[in-house]
Amino acid sequence: MEHILSEHDGCQTLAPGDSVMATPLYSCCLVAMRMESGDIYAEHCAGTQLDTLSDRFFSQTAVEALMVTSRASAHQIQQAHTLQLRLPATILRYYESDRDNGSTPKITVQRDGSLKLEPTETYHFVNY
């Protein structure tokens, strides 16, 4: 199933094979997270306001998280730091688009539950 998060409010629960997108991304943030229990969640976080994310995103059982924005800014890098501090045991990967207006990111849940970001040619890892 494909979820377009920018058209829905709140947190979405995902299953293997599901994909999430937020279009258009611009400076907004798409966050997807996999929990140790196998639960997977995604939410579109307008303006990178992490305090609007569901409480599910701040569980101590999170093992993997992706944060995706358009071009990285000082504010968004600080948001990645803030999210990582709230999730100290979680592997957080932050990606930015190489396009000013952002391209449409798509995060797909793989069969093993891991998260894959596409298109890989327009998103790059931010060493925050």
Side-chain angles (χ1 to χ4, degrees), residues 104-116:
T104 302
K106 180 177 181 180
I107 297 175
T108 302
V109 180
Q110 303 298 294
R111 287 181 189 231
D112 66 357
S114 63
L115 305 172
K116 180 181 178 186

Side-chain angles (χ1 to χ4, degrees), residues 7-127:
E7 294 180 0
H8 303 282
D9 290 332
C11 181
Q12 299 290 310
T13 302
L14 307 176
D18 285 359
S19 295
V20 291
M21 298 185 323
T23 179
L25 189 60
Y26 299 106
S27 65
C28 296
C29 180
L30 171 63
V31 178
M33 184 170 293
R34 176 170 57 111
M35 304 297 183
E36 193 171 50
S37 62
D39 295 334
I40 302 165
Y41 303 104
E43 192 164 354
H44 183 239
C45 182
T48 65
Q49 297 300 316
L50 297 178
D51 57 338
T52 65
L53 288 174
S54 166
D55 289 342
R56 293 176 179 174
F57 284 92
F58 303 109
S59 167
Q60 296 306 306
T61 67
V63 294
E64 177 184 19
L66 297 184
M67 176 176 158
V68 185
T69 68
S70 62
R71 289 190 190 268
S73 68
H75 175 72
Q76 291 162 334
I77 288 170
Q78 182 57 47
Q79 292 291 61
H81 280 291
T82 300
L83 185 56
Q84 185 68 80
L85 287 172
R86 290 185 69 179
L87 301 164
T90 303
I91 296 170
L92 172 65
R93 294 185 310 242
Y94 170 32
Y95 293 92
E96 68 166 334
S97 174
D98 63 1
R99 298 182 181 169
D100 286 330
N101 64 351
S103 58
T104 302
K106 180 177 181 180
I107 297 175
T108 302
V109 180
Q110 303 298 294
R111 287 181 189 231
D112 66 357
S114 63
L115 305 172
K116 180 181 178 186
L117 173 65
E118 301 172 273
T120 56
E121 66 276 2
T122 58
Y123 283 93
H124 306 283
F125 180 74
V126 176
N127 189 6

